[in-house]
Amino acid sequence: MSRVAVATIDLGALKHNLSIVRKNAPHSKILAVIKANAYGHGLETVAKALVAADGFAVAHFEEAITLREIDKDKPIILLQGFADEVELALLLSHSIEPVIHSFYQIDILEKLELPDTTNVWLKIDTGMNRLGIAHLEMLTAWQRLNAIESLKGRVKIMSHFANADDKSHAGTEEQILLFQTLTMQCNTEKSLANSAGLLHWPDSHMDWVRPGIMLYGVSPCEKESADSFELMPVMTLKSRIIAINQIQKDESIGYGHIWKAKQDTPIAVVGIGYGDGYPRHIKENTPVLINKTRYQIVGRVSMDMLCVELNENHNFNVGDEVVLWGEGLPVEEIAKQAGTIAYELLCQVTARVKFEYIPKAFGI
Ligand SMILES: Cc1ncc(COP(=O)(O)O)c(C=O)c1O
């Protein structure tokens, strides 16, 4: 049997979500975050569809170089910066803007002769305590970078939120205030907001917003739905029924026999499993959609298959489509059932799944 799992990527929805970013942050430029293969949606196609974004941000060197081949002009920001002189030289020859998060990178910049067109982003740690120059050392880093002749007027500043997805968390206000205070005297472009910051904290918008997850139609906030932000799901993960079996009361199905039928019941075997990126540890009774109606997964998800309990009156056939998440079934809901976040599920769809982009003739 050839592969039946398909991820449909709705490029119209992607563009719509970009327009929602614009609507929410009308005075900022947009750095579309398309790292991790555009959150699993396909770096190249997503970059081409997001032509209206003002720039792109990725995490890895290779992604940045690939992106530059697709887009010759837009700013491309490399969020993890460079590891050594060789990487830096290659980045600069592709006009990629590295994030400077550590003093070893400033040492390298000071040693090299840089093209006059070099732009860099100084990343300050305002509370995330992950990547970035400690806020107490920010001034030293800023002064050292600005003392490099070819970087004068070309050092931008950014930071990243730790808790913006939680509207009631006081830490976000504190991060905004610290960022504003630290950068008050710095006459340059600034960036702070991810999707959650952008939607909840207008004070964080500044010159550039950096939305990721909302572009893909997913709510960044646990307590608010994507619908409530007018976002549309971009990825719909689907497969097909490959068999329908009648199970008798008290019979069990699948590995470990973890589920037992309470009555005689038809079971649809669906051609998707953890080998495709559907989480094995999903809770019992997680929904799928067949013909727009919810049915529940029963038994253990295996590598290539999972089982769904139908009912006696079903009129489904082998070959009928089953939606695992996406349109009509938010990936956020499935992520909760899997004890994770939608970001992870989207990034985890494997290469075995066929990706179909709609509309196909999208000028890309
Ligand atoms: C530095 C940085 N900015 C922006 C984003 C986008 O965040 P989100 O996907 O929550 O909008 C990320 C994602 O992790 C990030 O690491």
Side-chain angles (χ1 to χ4, degrees):
M1 191 171 280
S2 58
R3 56 189 179 162
V4 283
V6 174
T8 303
I9 307 296
D10 183 342
L11 299 172
L14 184 71
K15 290 191 161 207
H16 163 82
N17 297 334
L18 182 65
S19 76
I20 298 297
V21 173
R22 266 291 170 231
K23 187 169 144 191
N24 280 276
H27 307 298
S28 305
K29 287 184 271 184
I30 302 173
L31 262 185
V33 180
I34 55 173
K35 61 187 177 149
N37 194 28
Y39 289 42
H41 292 67
L43 180 76
E44 301 189 22
T45 317
V46 164
K48 286 177 187 166
L50 291 179
V51 64
D54 302 293
F56 296 116
V58 289
H60 291 162
F61 178 80
E62 292 78 5
E63 289 176 314
I65 302 286
T66 305
L67 206 48
R68 181 51 83 218
E69 278 154 26
I70 298 164
D71 193 308
K72 303 279 177 239
D73 303 317
K74 280 198 203 343
I76 297 174
I77 284 64
L78 182 52
L79 294 169
Q80 293 189 2
F82 53 90
D84 53 34
E85 291 180 21
V86 178
E87 268 191 18
L88 175 62
L90 211 54
L91 289 181
L92 298 185
S93 70
H94 286 78
S95 301
I96 290 159
E97 306 183 11
V99 165
I100 310 301
H101 51 75
S102 300
F103 280 101
Y104 76 83
Q105 295 170 317
I106 302 184
D107 296 341
I108 295 174
L109 284 165
E110 283 171 337
K111 265 195 272 167
L112 286 192
E113 200 162 309
L114 307 172
D116 283 344
T117 50
T118 307
N119 290 305
V120 298
W121 289 79
L122 172 60
K123 182 167 186 176
I124 327 168
D125 177 16
T126 52
M128 173 78 129
N129 294 327
R130 191 183 59 176
L131 196 66
I133 302 276
H135 63 86
L136 291 175
E137 296 179 312
M138 181 257 165
L139 197 60
T140 311
W142 171 252
Q143 284 169 348
R144 275 181 64 182
L145 287 171
N146 279 282
I148 301 171
E149 195 51 39
S150 45
L151 286 187
K152 280 220 165 71
R154 294 182 166 277
V155 183
K156 307 170 202 181
I157 308 183
M158 63 176 289
S159 188
H160 192 42
F161 284 133
N163 296 296
D165 54 320
D166 178 358
K167 220 171 160 180
S168 61
H169 201 292
T172 305
E173 297 279 6
E174 287 165 18
Q175 283 195 261
I176 296 173
L177 194 63
L178 181 58
F179 188 83
Q180 286 169 337
T181 311
L182 287 168
T183 63
M184 203 181 314
Q185 308 293 341
C186 307
N187 182 17
T188 188
E189 293 186 1
K190 297 164 197 172
S191 175
L192 183 53
N194 56 0
S195 299
L198 192 162
L199 290 167
H200 284 319
W201 279 276
D203 280 356
S204 72
H205 289 178
M206 307 192 184
D207 301 289
W208 290 86
V209 288
R210 302 192 311 272
I213 197 73
M214 70 181 287
L215 290 173
Y216 310 100
V218 175
S219 170
C221 308
E222 201 188 324
K223 295 193 182 112
E224 286 148 290
S225 69
D227 266 359
S228 71
F229 295 120
E230 302 175 82
L231 298 169
M232 290 166 62
V234 175
M235 181 193 290
T236 296
L237 184 66
K238 302 177 204 171
S239 189
R240 294 196 178 272
I241 298 176
I242 61 170
I244 299 178
N245 302 319
Q246 190 65 28
I247 299 288
Q248 306 307 310
K249 181 172 185 284
D250 290 335
E251 274 187 322
S252 295
I253 55 166
Y255 289 120
H257 275 182
I258 61 169
W259 178 84
K260 195 190 264 188
K262 291 193 181 69
Q263 67 263 320
D264 295 358
T265 188
I267 297 286
V269 183
V270 182
I272 193 164
Y274 63 80
D276 304 284
Y278 195 86
R280 179 174 180 274
H281 295 293
I282 198 91
K283 280 191 200 138
E284 216 172 86
N285 304 333
T286 296
V288 300
L289 283 186
I290 312 179
N291 197 14
K292 300 200 170 113
T293 305
R294 284 176 176 235
Y295 293 87
Q296 292 182 344
I297 294 176
V298 291
R300 194 167 273 165
V301 172
S302 49
M303 188 184 289
D304 319 306
M305 286 171 265
L306 53 80
C307 293
V308 171
E309 185 175 18
L310 303 176
N311 57 45
E312 286 306 335
N313 306 321
H314 82 88
N315 56 358
F316 301 127
N317 295 300
V318 166
D320 283 353
E321 194 172 271
V322 179
V323 171
L324 285 308
W325 68 61
E327 215 182 323
L329 186 56
V331 65
E332 296 93 314
E333 184 180 338
I334 306 304
K336 204 177 269 180
Q337 291 286 106
T340 184
I341 51 175
Y343 295 70
E344 188 181 13
L345 292 192
L346 295 175
C347 289
Q348 269 181 189
V349 174
T350 67
R352 190 165 81 158
V353 174
K354 188 171 169 203
F355 275 64
E356 285 179 357
Y357 291 89
I358 49 164
K360 281 197 185 89
F362 205 66
I364 53 173

